[in-house]
């Protein structure tokens, strides 16, 4: 997919799967069982771009399927599940072939697949299909969910090669020194976040950018032996040139082989993957419980009835019969599992289905080590909620409702409570889509007084489509919140959903104020990582244009600016205004010379290659590589790419028609003559990227006056008819999905790398770094949202017991899931009491006369309620009361109403205020440890 027309769609996923993603379009996967778990697996594979996905199911869709199978609509009831799901899945990704199969799973049929996934499958079928797949070298996966628990099994054969087993980029470090010897010893610098050894014995490494001992730069990967945290032995370097400075040492990841047993053996001798050894007994008990459930189903022809003690005891008896082979049995776990095993929960299906889908992607791409071989997941802590133990068979019996699978676990009354919920979902991106899918299936806000509000400022983009399942190609450029709300209603027409297109922050406090949040039962935050453009891009193509436009719009703008940098930037921007496209090319060429030749030559003028920080200690050493200036060459693709992209963007900023003809650009460049470099004396250059206060070099009054006069003159000349004139310049905000923007970033960063002898980055890597793009894939977002929704169940139940909640950490690359009890909220002491970070002081600031309280009444309330004598009271920067003021001022402050104080300060009227207070006897550390004071005005 990388480098193809598919790249914009799959860019976030490519950062996860790497080069192995190119195998996806040619792969074929069978997903058997199209209830909740199977639907999640199939959805993830279709969104990921798997070439052919075949759906298998012999059953018909029923009403209860619609609490976890999000692909089905009302009209699909009574239809075969696989056929009913086919169209919805095909719409997710037109490039994937989606087929339905309703016949038997014959060996001839199975032989055409690379991966076979069974969900909702009897054990006999699992064993038969598993034996065939193992013999034929077909990767085989079992994924099953029952109530609050899930099971995952992988058999990738006896010799499965993983091309790229590790997550993240290979380890690299800056070289400090390399000795000449046999073996040679490399001394390197640890990274800021490294703890212990970066490399391990036997790792293969390569070198780049080494100066002096340049022979290493051309070597094939060589093994290392670790001496200590910062030294490695490598091969014989005694015949190499002496090391001088610089260089990177980088780990080369090697393929790894793994071996799996077939299901028939793995059942008897299970290898169960756990996050910690303490989890193994629980997983072993679930291993026995799932087998016992299969036996119960063979015996009774059904699953255990919800909350039926006799059925749960029979499952336990069957599990005990496996005890000799499986080790100690936790009987409480088995009983709890059996009592709700007839249940179907969308969040559990999301977690297990996402894990299974990731294993499929591992099988196809050779990226990451597969599961070895069993994984068990449960959220049985939900059954410890106060009141759940009293649920009876009657409470959890089927009602003929779409929510019967959920009622089987939590009862009918709880389902009503879910319908009454009022929730705000902030962000309708990848995780937001998954949360909304789960909410729709759960019936959250589906009651007559329920409410689900979705807010997102963004619009649907092509790169969203590989993991944001609520959107289709036809939705591109449409508001995410509006499209998402419509999708939620299609999944569950009863959900009362409203779309907003607002950011939640200071700018929208007039909408999302305290009363708004008091009306809600919960808020789900599903915001992305903020993406920022590189400073160079903003400094050239965004900020100058914004400043010029402000100058054009506001005659007083110049008077508001302090003398210095902004005025100079304005002057430069207006002085450099191009008349045509050729001027833009000339500007780009001058910029290239300034950045990649002159700036480096100036640096070397101040700190020459032989410079020493002290006698015998070279300045250019360790992670401080000595650079070299570049000489412009129009036949060098990177040099020309920079000029082309920079000229294009500069032309866009100045509203000049650009030209992308490389031949025409070369013709312009041939006529560009630049003055020779002349070093500046006395100029200081910072050598670190740490923020420092800029030295303000004062300009003489005459120079500032001339600069300001020029700007005023240019403004008068350019403004013209202020009522009709468009903004003079077009600020360009960096967009990670704009190819020209990434072209500029790639060329600019690779030229700087060339300055310092560092290997260049490819276009895709530059896009990830420049756009601050977090690698993303549907499997991770689905699992995370499922885990979050399990916690929502507990919140809706009203659980106050922290031991029932879970913090979850999941690694799909290693197939590890760690769930632990969250720590209690941090506490602190203030005013003689202990407070938690959630505590706040709330007062209805309404006096006896129905008007807003006076400041004195607020002070009295704090004294009366908490015994605190306030010495200072503020609202933002407004001083409402200061005990150190003179008597007349204090009296005026005390008599003033809170609303009058805001009016006097010309602040917008607010119903809810947060006041800052200081009290007698506070110590110096109290400033950040006071409970906030919230006042509600009439």
């Amino acid at each position: 997919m990388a480098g193809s027309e598919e790249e914009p769609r799959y860019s976030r996923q490519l950062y996860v799967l790497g080069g192995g993603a190119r195998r996806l379009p040619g792969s074929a996967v069978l997903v058997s069982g199209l209830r909740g778990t199977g639907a999640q697996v199939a959805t993830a594979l279709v969104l990921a771009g798997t070439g052919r996905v075949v759906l298998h199911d012999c059953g018909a869709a029923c009403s209860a399927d619609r609490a976890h199978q999000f692909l089905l609509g009302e009209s699909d009831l009574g239809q075969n599940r696989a056929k009913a799901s086919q169209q919805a899945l095909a719409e997710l990704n037109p490039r994937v072939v989606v087929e339905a199969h309703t016949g038997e799973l014959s060996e001839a049929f199975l032989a055409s697949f690379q991966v076979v996934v069974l969900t909702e499958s009897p054990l006999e079928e699992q064993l038969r299909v598993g034996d065939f797949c193992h013999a034929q070298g077909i990767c085989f996966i079992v994924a099953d969910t029952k109530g609050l628990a899930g099971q995952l099994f992988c058999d990738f054969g006896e010799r499965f090669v993983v091309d790229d087993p590790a997550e993240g980029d290979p380890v690299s470090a800056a070289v400090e020194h390399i000795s000449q010897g046999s073996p040679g010893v490399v001394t390197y610098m640890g990274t800021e976040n490294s703890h212990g050894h970066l490399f391990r014995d036997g790792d293969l490494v390569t070198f780049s950018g080494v100066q002096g001992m340049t022979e290493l730069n051309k070597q094939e990967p060589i093994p290392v032996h670790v001496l200590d945290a910062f030294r490695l032995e490598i091969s014989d370097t005694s015949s190499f040139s002496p090391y001088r400075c610089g260089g990177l040492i980088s780990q080369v990841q090697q393929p790894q082989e793994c071996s799996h047993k077939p299901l028939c053996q793995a059942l008897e001798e299970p290898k169960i993957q756990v996050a910690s050894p303490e989890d193994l007994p629980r997983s072993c008990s679930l291993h026995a419980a799932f087998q016992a459930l299969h036996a119960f189903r063979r015996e009774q022809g059904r699953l255990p009835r919800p909350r039926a003690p006799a059925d749960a005891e029979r499952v336990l008896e069957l599990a005990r019969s496996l005890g000799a082979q499986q080790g100690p049995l936790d009987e409480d776990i088995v009983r709890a599992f059996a009592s709700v095993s007839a249940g179907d929960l969308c969040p559990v299906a999301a977690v297990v289905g996402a894990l299974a889908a990731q294993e499929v992607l591992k099988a196809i791409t050779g990226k990451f080590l597969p599961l070895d071989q069993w994984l068990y997941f449960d959220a049985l802590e939900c059954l410890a909620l106060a009141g759940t133990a009293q649920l009876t068979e009657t409470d959890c019996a089927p009602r003929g409702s779409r929510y019967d699978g959920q009622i089987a676990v939590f009862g009918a009354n709880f389902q009503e409570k879910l319908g009454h919920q009022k929730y705000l979902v902030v962000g309708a991106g990848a995780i937001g889509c998954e949360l909304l899918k789960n909410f729709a299936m759960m019936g959250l806000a589906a009651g007559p007084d329920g409410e689900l509000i979705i807010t997102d400022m963004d619009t649907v983009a092509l790169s969203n489509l590989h993991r944001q399942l609520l959107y289709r190609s036809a939705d591109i450029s449409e508001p995410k919140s509006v499209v998402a709300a419509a999708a939620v209603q299609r999944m569950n027409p009863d959900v009362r959903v409203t779309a907003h297109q607002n950011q939640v922050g200071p700018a929208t406090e007039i909408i999302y104020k305290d009363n708004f949040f008091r009306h809600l039962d919960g808020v789900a935050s599903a915001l992305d990582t903020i993406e920022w453009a590189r400073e160079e891009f903003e400094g050239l193509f965004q900020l100058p244009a914004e400043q010029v436009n402000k100058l054009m719009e506001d005659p007083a703008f110049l008077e508001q600016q302090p003398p210095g940098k902004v005025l100079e930037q304005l002057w430069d921007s207006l002085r450099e205004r191009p008349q045509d496209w050729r001027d833009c090319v000339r500007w780009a060429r001058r910029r290239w010379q300034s950045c990649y030749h002159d700036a480096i030559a100036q640096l070397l003028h101040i700190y020459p290659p032989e410079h020493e920080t002290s006698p015998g200690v070279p300045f250019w050493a360790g992670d401080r590589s000595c650079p070299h200036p570049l000489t412009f060459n129009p036949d060098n693709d990177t040099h020309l790419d920079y000029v082309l992209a920079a000229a294009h963007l500069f032309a866009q900023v100045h509203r000049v028609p650009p030209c992308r003809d490389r031949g025409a650009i070369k013709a312009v460049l041939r006529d560009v003559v630049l003055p020779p470099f002349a070093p500046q004396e006395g100029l200081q250059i910072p050598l670190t990227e740490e923020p420092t206060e800029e030295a303000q070099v004062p300009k003489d009054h005459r120079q500032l006056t001339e600069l300001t006069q020029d700007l005023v003159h240019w403004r008068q000349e350019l403004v013209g008819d202020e009522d009709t004139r468009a903004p003079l310049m077009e600020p360009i905000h960096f967009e990670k999905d704009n190819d020209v923007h990434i072209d500029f970033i790639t060329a600019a960063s690779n030229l700087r790398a060339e300055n310092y002898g560092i290997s260049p980055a490819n276009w895709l890597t530059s896009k990830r770094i420049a756009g601050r793009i977090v690698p993303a894939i549907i499997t991770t977002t689905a699992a995370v949202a499922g885990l979050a929704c399990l916690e929502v169940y507990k919140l809706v139940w009203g659980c106050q017991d922290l031991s029932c909640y879970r913090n979850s950490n999941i690694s799909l690359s290693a197939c590890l899931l760690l769930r632990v009890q969250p720590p209690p909220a941090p506490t602190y002491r203030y005013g003689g009491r202990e407070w938690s970070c959630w505590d706040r002081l709330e007062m209805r600031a309404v006096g006896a006369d129905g008007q807003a309280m006076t400041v004195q009444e607020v002070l009295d309330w704090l004294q009366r309620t908490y015994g605190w004598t306030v010495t200072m009271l503020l609202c933002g920067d407004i001083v409402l009361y200061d005990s150190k003021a003179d008597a007349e001022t204090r009296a005026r402050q005390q008599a003033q109403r809170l609303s009058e104080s805001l009016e006097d300060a010309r602040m917008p009227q607010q119903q809810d205020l947060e006041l800052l207070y200081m009290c007698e006897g506070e110590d110096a550390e109290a400033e950040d440890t006071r409970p906030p004071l919230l006042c509600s005005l009439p």
Side-chain angles (χ1 to χ4, degrees), residues 80-380:
N80 176 273
R81 287 192 199 94
K83 288 186 174 180
S85 304
Q86 180 183 5
Q87 182 177 352
L89 283 168
E91 289 174 354
L92 284 174
N93 193 340
R95 294 165 177 79
V96 174
V97 176
V98 182
E99 301 170 1
H101 177 72
T102 59
E104 65 170 331
L105 297 180
S106 66
E107 292 184 355
F109 175 71
L110 293 170
S112 63
F113 298 100
Q114 289 170 266
V115 188
V116 170
V117 184
L118 299 187
T119 71
E120 305 287 340
S121 181
L123 182 59
E124 295 76 15
E125 183 174 63
Q126 293 176 12
L127 290 166
R128 177 180 67 81
V129 174
D131 284 346
F132 175 78
C133 289
H134 188 86
Q136 298 298 315
I138 299 169
C139 294
F140 175 65
I141 297 171
V142 173
D144 202 1
T145 57
K146 292 291 182 287
L148 284 163
Q151 174 191 62
L152 185 62
F153 169 77
C154 288
D155 170 16
F156 286 11
E158 294 176 9
R159 297 188 64 184
F160 181 79
V161 177
V162 182
D163 298 320
D164 190 357
E167 186 172 15
D169 297 327
V171 170
S172 63
V175 176
E176 282 195 319
H177 186 263
I178 308 173
S179 69
Q180 286 177 298
S182 181
V185 175
V186 179
T187 305
Y188 63 90
M189 295 183 64
T191 62
E192 181 180 349
N193 298 320
S194 64
H195 302 282
H197 301 288
L198 291 178
F199 300 94
R200 297 173 298 178
D201 276 348
D203 276 353
L204 295 181
V205 300
T206 57
F207 290 85
S208 61
V210 173
Q211 298 184 40
M213 197 177 284
T214 56
E215 296 90 339
L216 279 175
N217 295 332
K218 304 170 186 177
Q219 290 244 345
E220 293 295 313
I222 53 178
V224 301
H225 169 63
V226 176
L227 294 177
D228 55 39
F230 303 110
R231 292 189 306 149
L232 305 170
E233 284 184 347
I234 57 172
S235 54
D236 186 352
T237 60
S238 56
S239 62
F240 293 172
S241 308
Y243 174 79
R244 187 156 58 86
C245 64
L248 285 176
I249 178 172
S250 302
Q251 177 192 51
V252 178
Q253 292 182 348
Q254 294 296 297
Q256 188 171 333
E257 187 176 284
C258 56
S259 178
H260 286 166
K261 297 175 184 176
L263 177 62
C264 56
Q265 293 181 35
L267 276 171
E268 303 300 322
E269 304 167 9
K271 292 175 69 175
I272 301 177
Q273 193 154 306
V274 291
S276 66
E278 294 79 13
D279 295 335
L280 187 57
R282 186 182 189 93
S283 290
C284 287
S285 295
L286 286 169
H287 185 74
F290 268 91
Q291 291 184 70
L293 194 66
H294 282 294
F296 181 95
R297 199 168 193 170
R298 284 195 302 271
E299 179 182 280
Q300 304 287 334
R302 60 174 174 82
L303 289 172
R305 289 184 294 269
R307 305 283 177 166
D311 284 359
E313 288 301 319
R314 180 55 186 152
V315 172
L316 179 57
E317 289 175 12
L318 293 166
R320 287 188 187 122
S321 69
L322 303 169
Q325 294 129 355
Q326 307 301 338
L329 190 68
D330 188 326
E331 297 190 352
D332 290 339
I333 291 291
V334 178
R335 283 195 193 92
F337 165 78
S339 71
V340 295
S341 58
D344 289 303
L345 301 177
C346 187
V348 177
V351 174
V352 176
L355 289 166
Q358 187 65 52
E359 296 304 306
V360 175
L361 297 178
K362 292 177 185 180
I364 296 170
T365 64
K367 176 67 175 175
F368 307 135
L369 289 170
L371 170 65
D372 187 24
Q373 287 189 262
W374 293 97
L375 179 82
Y376 286 91
F377 162 76
D378 79 89
L380 291 171

Side-chain angles (χ1 to χ4, degrees), residues 536 591-600 642 752 755:
E536 171 81 354
R591 183 71 192 176
W592 189 101
Q593 191 72 12
S594 172
C595 289
Y596 305 109
H597 180 275
D598 294 358
I600 301 300
Y642 176 92
R752 178 61 76 221
N755 278 139

Side-chain angles (χ1 to χ4, degrees), residues 752-765:
R752 178 61 76 221
E754 188 180 349
N755 278 139
Y756 285 88
I758 299 171
S759 300
N762 61 35
W763 193 88
L764 200 59
T765 300

Side-chain angles (χ1 to χ4, degrees), residues 579-590:
Q579 298 301 310
D580 56 25
W581 164 75
R582 293 172 182 78
D583 283 349
C584 298
V585 175
R586 296 183 187 104
W587 173 87
R589 173 65 181 88
R590 292 194 300 271

